[in-house]
């Protein structure tokens, strides 16, 4: 009787995971879709130069936001999962309080220093016009850092609906306010300023709504003493890695335009516009799979941490293997589409051929990028934060070396080469470590077969699109070719038994 009950509970648990992942994915897809549409509107309203200024401001802001809060939400989620595994309710509230205290102790001094020292920190920007626009975001540094901690508490307590709704509404507020502010805008600098104000308004919204919901659901602030030390020791490596990511992006935002000006002969406006095309248009398209993978990570991470702390080795191995394969599966489906239709999609969305060329050339980066993202989440859930930080730094060095050494010869494409090297090396090192942590995990055969399937799908799509582009517009190319390529790739994967419909059946089952 007990065995049957345990089996039933296990089945219900799996169904809940599938349903939670599906729900988060739907909300996240809508949210990213809104952001993507908004970026198209921004591009067409304020131009590549305005988008470049906007992107530089957000990139530098992301550095300070990452320093203040990036590792804390993940650690709060994990500490809450650990407290849930041991039945410690007070420990869950203590973890949230410790997280809020840590972020406030960092963000308030940082915001004040940056505000009063604005004339000193102009070197952070490759374009002097960015400084005054950046200052607008400083109140948001404090507010969104606190929201990030509350968001981590939603993950840890498995309140995925609340998390998803607030994230979606935050983006919706930004889009609505942004469109209203930039409507009819002709000046790129003024347009970038208005877009940044819209970001700040969205931060205020998510801060207020998340706090309201946290207290409404019984959350409270208690003494942080119990969880303060473990939170700091565990979040520090994650914060260091994500801060390094933001610093890397900021370094690229400063170095790459400067090298384009000094080595390639571009003017300042041309260099900023090229940077805007690469970082503001092309790279977001490459990160489309991360929307789906991020949804999986949000749902799986608390469950994986709980099983890890309960020493359920078999469950951990199963979760890790399925999660990594899911990320590879998503990349395999989407890589051929970006390779074949990247140019058509870019012309349709941005009316920019360079963006399309960058997307087509770099489409293969999606696979190591997806693997890196999901394995970082998995390894951090298993207390491997220091190792993932080291691996990231190795990748960052390769990227900066590529930009420094190849920009003279490749121009903006030196960044793409660096991104590819960084993602390939980091993904390989992460998978190697994961193999050691989960003895018996099998992913090599699946990865090799996925690469072969993707190559075949690329050839199929290339031939199909070559016929279609003679007779139809870019819109019809996308509408016809993309579904056929998805069906073709999915059919091969299904025939090779590389995925099943079982999760979908569980999703719709009662």
């Amino acid at each position: 009787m007990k065995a049957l009950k345990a089996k039933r509970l296990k089945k219900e648990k799996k169904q809940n995971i599938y349903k939670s992942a599906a729900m988060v994915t739907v909300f996240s897809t809508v949210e990213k879709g809104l952001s993507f549409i908004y970026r198209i509107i921004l591009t067409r309203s304020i131009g590549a130069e305005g988008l470049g200024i906007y992107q530089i401001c957000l990139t530098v802001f992301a550095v300070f936001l990452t320093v203040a809060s990036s590792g804390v939400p993940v650690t709060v989620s994990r500490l809450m999962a650990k407290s849930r595994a041991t039945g410690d309710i007070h420990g869950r509230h203590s973890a949230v309080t410790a997280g809020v205290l840590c972020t406030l102790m960092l963000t308030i001094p940082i915001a004040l220093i940056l505000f009063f020292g604005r004339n000193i920190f102009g070197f952070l920007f490759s374009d002097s016009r960015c400084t005054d626009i950046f200052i607008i975001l400083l109140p948001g540094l404090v507010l969104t850092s606190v929201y990030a901690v509350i968001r981590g508490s939603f993950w840890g307590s498995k309140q995925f609906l609340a998390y998803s709704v607030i994230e979606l509404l935050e983006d919706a507020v930004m889009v609505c306010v942004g469109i209203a502010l930039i409507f009819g805008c002709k000046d790129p600098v003024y347009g970038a300023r208005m877009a940044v104000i819209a970001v700040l308004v969205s931060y205020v919204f998510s801060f207020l709504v998340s706090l309201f919901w946290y207290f409404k659901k019984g959350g409270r602030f208690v003494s942080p003493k119990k969880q303060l030390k473990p939170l700091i020791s565990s979040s520090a490596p994650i914060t260091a890695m994500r801060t390094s990511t933001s610093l890397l992006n900021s370094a690229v935002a400063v170095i790459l335009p400067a090298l384009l000006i000094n080595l390639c002969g571009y003017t300042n406006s041309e260099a900023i516009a090229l940077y805007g095309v690469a970082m503001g248009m092309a790279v977001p398209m490459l990160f489309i799979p991360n929307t789906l993978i991020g949804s999986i990570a949000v749902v799986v991470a608390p469950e994986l941490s709980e099983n890890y702390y309960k020493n359920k080795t078999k469950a951990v191995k199963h979760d890790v293997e399925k999660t990594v394969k899911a990320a590879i599966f998503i990349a395999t489906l989407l890589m051929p589409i970006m390779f074949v239709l990247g140019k058509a999609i870019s012309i349709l969305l941005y009316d920019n051929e360079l963006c399309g060329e960058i997307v087509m050339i770099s489409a293969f980066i999606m696979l190591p990028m997806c693997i890196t993202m999901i394995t970082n989440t998995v390894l951090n859930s298993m207390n491997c934060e220091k190792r993932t930080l080291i691996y990231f730094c190795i990748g960052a060095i390769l990227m900066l070396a590529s930009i420094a050494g190849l920009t003279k010869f490749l121009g903006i494409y030196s960044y793409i080469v660096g991104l590819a090297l960084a993602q390939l090396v980091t993904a390989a090192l992460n998978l190697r470590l994961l193999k050691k942590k989960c003895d018996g995990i099998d992913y090599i055969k699946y990865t090799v077969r996925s690469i072969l399937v993707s190559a075949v799908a690329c050839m199929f799509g290339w031939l199909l699109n070559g016929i279609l582009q003679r007779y139809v517009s870019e819109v019809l190319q996308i509408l016809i070719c993309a579904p056929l390529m998805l069906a073709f790739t999915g059919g091969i994967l299904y025939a090779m038994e590389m995925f099943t419909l079982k999760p979908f059946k569980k999703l719709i089952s009662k």
Side-chain angles (χ1 to χ4, degrees), residues 336-390:
I337 293 177
M338 288 300 170
F339 174 73
V340 175
L341 298 173
K343 190 172 183 179
I345 294 172
S346 298
I347 292 174
L348 175 65
L349 298 180
Y350 303 118
D351 194 23
N352 192 293
E353 289 191 15
L354 176 60
C355 174
E357 291 174 5
I358 293 174
V359 170
M360 289 176 66
I361 290 172
S362 53
F364 75 94
I365 300 175
M366 284 182 167
L367 179 58
M369 190 182 291
C370 290
I371 292 174
T372 297
M373 180 179 181
I374 200 66
T375 51
N376 276 338
T377 299
V378 170
L379 289 169
N380 288 340
S381 298
M382 301 166 69
N383 289 333
C384 295
E385 300 95 342
K386 293 180 181 178
R387 295 290 290 275
T388 55
L389 172 61
I390 293 171

Side-chain angles (χ1 to χ4, degrees), residues 413-435:
Y413 290 100
S414 65
Y415 170 76
I416 300 303
V417 174
L419 180 63
L421 287 173
Q423 294 297 328
L424 283 167
V425 171
T426 306
L429 291 173
N430 279 2
L431 287 174
R432 180 173 172 269
L433 177 58
L434 205 54
K435 186 81 171 177

Side-chain angles (χ1 to χ4, degrees), residues 74-139:
V74 176
T75 307
V76 166
S77 172
R78 187 190 311 156
L79 291 175
M80 290 185 72
K82 185 177 181 179
S83 298
R84 188 173 60 251
T86 58
D88 183 6
I89 297 176
H90 185 272
R92 292 159 64 178
H93 296 313
S94 180
V96 177
T97 308
V100 171
L101 179 63
C102 286
T103 56
L104 289 176
M105 289 175 63
L106 282 171
T107 54
I108 293 176
I110 289 173
L112 290 173
I113 291 170
L114 289 173
F115 180 78
F116 290 107
R118 68 182 76 179
N119 296 326
I120 301 174
F121 297 105
F123 67 90
L124 293 172
F125 306 98
S126 58
D127 191 305
S128 59
R129 296 173 293 179
C130 297
T131 306
D132 291 336
I133 298 175
F134 171 79
I135 294 299
I136 297 170
L137 285 169
L138 288 181

